[in-house]
Amino acid sequence: MKADALRGHLDALLLAVLDGEPRHGYAIIEALQERSGGSLALPTGTVYPALRRLERAGYVESAWSTVGGRERRTYRLTNAGRKVLAEERSAWQEFTATIGAVLLPPPATA
């Protein structure tokens, strides 16, 4: 997938992956890959700065935890993050419906 296609959507993708359960950074990257069927293989240099930005905005919180005997920073959605995620999902549905109406061929008429 082209990196340009993700521009403006990375924050929403990260919030969506955190919806339901807290995850540490590497688990977030793995979840993005898994949910996208391998299409989203984002480097840590892209994901971690975005997570810090989301934390500064108040959409995620982080805390140190021990996972598999290793200390890792675990991220979870805040209430504000859930609200933003709901807004992003709604905006995405509207966007895809609008673009689809233009790009997809019209239904065949009988």
Side-chain angles (χ1 to χ4, degrees):
M1 173 168 286
K2 294 180 184 177
D4 286 347
L6 292 178
R7 198 172 317 250
H9 302 291
L10 179 58
D11 291 358
L13 293 170
L14 294 172
L15 293 174
V17 167
L18 289 170
D19 191 24
E21 69 177 287
R23 297 177 192 262
H24 58 83
Y26 186 71
I28 292 169
I29 292 169
E30 286 181 324
L32 285 169
Q33 280 186 296
E34 183 179 314
R35 288 171 123 181
S36 69
S39 294
L40 295 176
L42 301 177
T44 58
T46 298
V47 173
Y48 286 108
L51 287 168
R52 286 191 294 274
R53 184 177 60 251
L54 290 170
E55 189 170 21
R56 283 191 306 270
Y59 302 148
V60 300
E61 294 176 334
S62 68
W64 287 101
S65 63
T66 303
V67 179
R70 296 177 59 184
E71 286 289 314
R72 295 188 176 163
R73 187 172 289 276
T74 301
Y75 299 86
R76 72 173 191 84
L77 281 181
T78 62
N79 288 335
R82 282 185 193 82
K83 181 180 178 198
V84 168
L85 178 57
E87 292 167 359
E88 288 288 337
R89 284 177 167 156
S90 178
W92 178 254
Q93 288 175 335
E94 183 180 333
F95 175 79
T96 57
T98 301
I99 299 303
V102 176
L103 288 180
L104 298 175
T109 56

